[in-house]
């Protein structure tokens, strides 16, 4: 099911997919999410505010401080972050990342079974198409989707955190180079030489995501 995210939707990008899930699926997904949730603080970077780590208000507050800091310091600029999307992430990439995080194979296999043989159909003017195999996307509306997606951003964010300058914005005493909330990513660059570093991290992430 797709719901509009703009007042006058005309393109496919103007709609967001929402998955309608049955009770058995929701129960299993909630059990898995409850086991994954406590691991997030260990698996994610400190700047990844999601689930157990921070909240959206903390992320918004950091962005506002960065904007105010940039008004008085022309060297600081906020730029769009990684090209991220729930519906484009490869299932193979998700499982590869989970394995690299040290999760046991049996636990990953339980998640795989939920995504095995996933199919979608398109309804146009009341007519339903045949099943279309789905090898990408985590399901919007699923209790474990955020927990599966967030670790997939960890590799490029870790690289950016290491290579971008050690910015200290406002009263914060920790480095502020990357700010994320789930799939919303904002980067702070302070010099032209930061751009190639950002581009390299994004391209590397795209290559690995496509190869998976």
């Amino acid at each position: 099911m797709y719901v509009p995210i703009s007042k006058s939707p005309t393109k496919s990008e103007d709609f967001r997919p929402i998955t309608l899930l049955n009770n058995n699926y929701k129960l299993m997904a909630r059990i898995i999410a409850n086991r994954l949730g406590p691991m997030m603080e260990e698996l994610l970077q400190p700047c990844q505010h999601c689930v157990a780590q921070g909240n959206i208000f903390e992320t918004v507050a950091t962005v506002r401080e960065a904007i105010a800091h940039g008004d008085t310091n022309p060297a600081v600029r906020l730029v769009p972050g990684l090209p991220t999307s729930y519906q484009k992430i490869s299932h193979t990439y998700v499982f590869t990342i989970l394995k690299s995080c040290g999760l046991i194979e049996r636990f990953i296999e339980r998640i795989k079974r939920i995504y095995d043989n996933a199919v979608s159909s398109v309804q146009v003017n009341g007519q339903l198409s045949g099943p279309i195999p789905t090898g990408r996307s985590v399901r919007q509306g699923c209790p474990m989707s955020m927990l599966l997606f967030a670790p997939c951003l960890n590799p490029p964010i870790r690289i950016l955190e290491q290579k971008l300058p050690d910015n200290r914005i406002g009263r914060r005493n920790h480095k502020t180079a990357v700010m994320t909330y789930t799939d919303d990513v904002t980067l702070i660059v302070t010099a032209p030489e930061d751009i190639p570093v950002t581009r390299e991290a994004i391209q590397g992430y795209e290559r690995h995501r496509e190869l998976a």
Side-chain angles (χ1 to χ4, degrees):
M1 176 179 178
Y2 284 81
V3 295
I5 57 176
S6 66
K7 292 183 178 179
S8 302
T10 57
K11 301 177 293 186
S12 59
E13 292 82 2
D14 297 329
F15 294 86
R16 181 182 295 275
I18 298 294
T19 307
L20 304 179
L21 310 169
N22 61 44
N23 288 335
N24 290 339
Y25 179 100
K26 287 182 180 179
L27 179 61
M28 178 60 71
R30 178 55 65 187
I31 292 172
I32 293 174
N34 287 343
R35 295 188 177 184
L36 275 174
M39 305 177 192
M40 288 298 107
E41 188 170 352
E42 183 178 336
L43 297 179
L44 303 183
Q45 296 299 303
C47 68
Q48 289 183 268
H49 298 150
C50 109
V51 196
Q53 298 202 153
N55 54 55
I56 192 168
F57 300 107
E58 185 176 346
T59 309
V60 171
T62 305
V63 172
R64 285 179 174 172
E65 286 187 6
I67 293 172
H69 188 69
D71 288 341
T72 57
N73 184 354
V76 175
R77 288 291 181 268
L78 290 111
V79 300
L82 299 169
T84 60
S85 175
Y86 270 46
Q87 58 263 36
K88 292 182 180 178
I89 198 76
S90 162
H91 295 167
T92 305
Y93 184 72
V94 171
F95 301 136
T96 300
I97 290 294
L98 293 180
K99 187 174 182 179
S100 72
C101 289
L103 300 184
I104 61 173
E105 190 65 34
R106 186 167 59 179
F107 186 65
I108 297 174
E109 281 298 323
R110 291 186 183 275
I111 301 174
K112 281 184 178 180
R113 289 175 190 171
I114 292 177
Y115 278 90
D116 274 349
N117 304 316
V119 296
S120 299
S121 297
V122 179
Q123 187 176 48
V124 180
N125 296 330
Q127 298 297 314
L128 196 64
S129 73
I132 304 169
T134 305
R136 293 180 178 273
S137 83
V138 290
R139 298 172 176 124
Q140 293 276 3
C142 174
M144 63 181 179
S145 288
M146 183 186 295
L147 298 161
L148 295 179
F149 183 83
C152 294
L153 296 182
N154 200 329
I157 288 175
R158 186 170 63 248
I159 292 172
L160 289 166
E161 279 278 280
Q162 291 170 352
K163 294 188 175 182
L164 287 177
D166 190 4
N167 300 309
R168 307 283 169 167
I169 293 176
R171 293 171 292 178
R172 300 175 186 277
N173 58 7
H174 57 80
K175 181 175 180 178
T176 307
V178 185
M179 294 164 287
T180 82
Y181 187 79
T182 317
D183 59 343
D184 295 318
V185 183
T186 300
L187 309 177
I188 298 179
V189 297
T190 57
E193 51 266 29
D194 295 341
I195 300 300
V197 172
T198 302
R199 185 184 300 117
E200 182 181 345
I202 292 174
Q203 290 174 345
Y205 164 72
E206 288 289 284
R207 284 195 301 270
H208 285 92
R209 197 178 70 171
E210 291 302 319
L211 287 174

